[in-house]
Amino acid sequence: MLTPDTNNSQESTSQASNKHAANSQGSNTPEYSKLWYPYAQMKSLELNLEVVEASGVYLTMSDGKRLIDGISSWWCVSHGYNHPELNQAMFDQAQKFSHVMLGGLKNSTTEAFASKLVEITPEGLNHVFFSDSGSVGVEVAIKMALQYFFNQGNQKKTRIVALERAYHGDTTACMSVCDPAEGMHKMFHGITPEQFFLPAPKGGFNASTETIDEELSKAETLFQTHGESIAAVIVEPLMQGAGGFNIYSPEYLNRLKALCEQHDILLIFDEVATGFGRTGKLFATNHTDIVPDIMVLAKGLTAGYVGHAATLASTKIFEAFLSDSYSKAFMHGPTFMGNPLACAIGLKAIEIFERDNFLGNIETIESILKEELLGFEHEEIVETRVLGATGAIEVKDAKFHQGIQQFAAERGVWIRPFERYIYTMPPFVITPEELRKITGVMKAWFARPR
Ligand SMILES: *Cc1c(COP(=O)(O)O)cnc(C)c1O
């Protein structure tokens, strides 16, 4: 392999493999990372933290240091790492079969997981379509919403309404419903399908009636003008995650649903981040009085063990695909949908969640986060927000975070701020002491001498 400082002559370049010679601009071929990391400028990416083991809420690094994972590996490792019972469930399934296709074959693990999801999700979501990741789960939801109308002979309803500040994933249809102005996919705006956007709801969990009135009057105007072309509204219920932890009211959702019904528009809840306890109830939907037509689960679905997603649909949606004609069937089927390893882990994860009263843990987490973060003040802080097992600090300027990861790691905590947000979304098995260590480090960052 060529290294940056070995070959300074033309001759030695010609001896290099064709691949390197073709890539080489001059005499030096930089030694780039083979692994292309997510959301990273690979030119300047410096990674000094290497995980060699993980257990409970702790990541053990190659230098032996242990860090508390304050963000559950992108919000999914709800039960902590290396959970003996989840390991066992996966192992037991692997000894039967790790994977088998769902095309034309039944298996009891995937069937049982679908039934369990129907049982624990809000009443009315009776059918489960599995896929590999949250993004694909959202793609499935959008495709399902459009075909619901196509199957009834309505070809006009092709557009989706989303909220500003939304984040729904990284694939094409998902990008089209992410915030078009500030979202990370804005470069693709104009290439992805053109959707409608409503303002991000304001006023927090207990928003005033006037605020909701004003916001929903915009929805009403949009529906009145363009309702005939709108198939569905998609939202992250109660908390917009990657768009900056914008927490909003259940009442907004109750009333949005009523408006959707008036205009024959479906409502999709993307509970990829909020599902499985993150907002304090099992699903964010449980804070509301309504049930969406379609709901997407991922992240916590498999306790962060393997990638998987579930798109749940009401009977009304499901029935629109029933026909004597094959042409109305839902033409979708990821290779790994319903993967038995994922389903075995997911089933066990739900069993543990219920048995060990994780909702109780989450209540404790919420009260500690409130105590530690709400009311914490600093000239750089715009607002601190807490909902369930999520605590976020919004600052005025993203530059303020520079160096915080290193700072936190030196103090035994792993966090990863983005844009103007420093946050924690810990695993639900965290102890109060461990949690206070995370919030302590977050607060120490503000108190450090500068
Ligand atoms: C993470 C996330 C997704 C995407 O899920 P992936 O598994 O990363 O594809 C979609 N919607 C929301 C709300 C998310 O937080």
Side-chain angles (χ1 to χ4, degrees), residues 209-278:
T209 309
E210 298 83 79
T211 305
I212 301 173
D213 282 348
E214 197 188 314
E215 286 165 346
L216 288 181
S217 75
K218 294 194 176 118
E220 192 161 14
T221 307
L222 176 68
F223 294 175
Q224 273 161 3
T225 336
H226 293 285
E228 291 198 347
S229 68
I230 298 171
V233 177
I234 185 168
V235 298
E236 296 153 270
L238 283 194
M239 183 176 71
Q240 298 184 292
F245 307 103
N246 180 39
I247 295 162
Y248 63 99
S249 81
E251 192 51 22
Y252 178 96
L253 295 166
N254 292 338
R255 292 179 48 188
L256 179 64
K257 174 73 172 136
L259 269 184
C260 285
E261 276 171 14
Q262 278 168 32
H263 294 268
D264 196 18
I265 291 169
L266 302 177
L267 183 59
I268 304 171
F269 277 1
D270 175 354
E271 289 233 27
V272 170
T274 54
F276 294 100
R278 192 52 71 183

Side-chain angles (χ1 to χ4, degrees), residues 3 90 321:
T3 54
M90 182 170 65
F321 291 75

Side-chain angles (χ1 to χ4, degrees), residues 306-345:
V306 286
H308 224 63
T311 304
L312 286 100
S314 68
T315 304
K316 171 178 106 169
I317 302 294
F318 186 76
E319 282 180 343
F321 291 75
L322 304 180
S323 163
D324 295 329
S325 157
Y326 185 63
S327 65
K328 290 194 176 171
F330 191 47
M331 300 306 278
H332 208 93
T335 305
F336 290 106
M337 75 177 287
N339 171 262
L341 286 181
C343 294
I345 296 164

